Amino acid sequence: MKYPVGYVLNTLEELNEAVRSCRVAFVMFFGRNCPYCRAFDPIFKHVGSKYASLANFVKAEVERFAFTASALGVMGTPTTFAFIEGRPADVLPGFAIAPVFEEFVQRNLQGARCS
């Protein structure tokens, strides 16, 4: 299933679907009161919109997904994971400027297609 860029996940089932329905999915773990998350959000959406046909770009609030965030080792927000074939493959901790995030995306796409 394709999710809109920046879609805020509500359930664990949605998270599982988002990372398994595309070969590559980018999940940004964020906090509602995190200023760096608010600053990174437009960058995440802008870069995500450029590659929306190739991957899912979704967001997960750490309070709602506390167990998952803990299991993945999220130590702060924002933290963005690249999931490849349903498994965490790479992580970008913290705020990133657009060129850094875009390089992270390109590095993890490697010709992937989201059907």
Side-chain angles (χ1 to χ4, degrees), residues 10-57:
N10 294 300
T11 66
L12 189 56
E13 290 77 23
E14 280 186 330
L15 175 60
N16 288 331
E17 176 66 27
V19 301
R20 288 192 170 92
S21 62
C22 288
R23 183 170 176 272
V24 179
F26 296 91
V27 180
M28 178 179 73
F29 286 88
F30 73 99
R32 292 252 179 234
N33 297 318
C34 166
Y36 298 105
C37 301
R38 285 193 298 273
F40 182 57
D41 190 57
I43 295 167
F44 183 81
K45 290 177 180 174
H46 174 73
V47 173
S49 67
K50 292 171 71 173
Y51 299 94
S53 65
L54 304 175
N56 270 330
F57 289 83

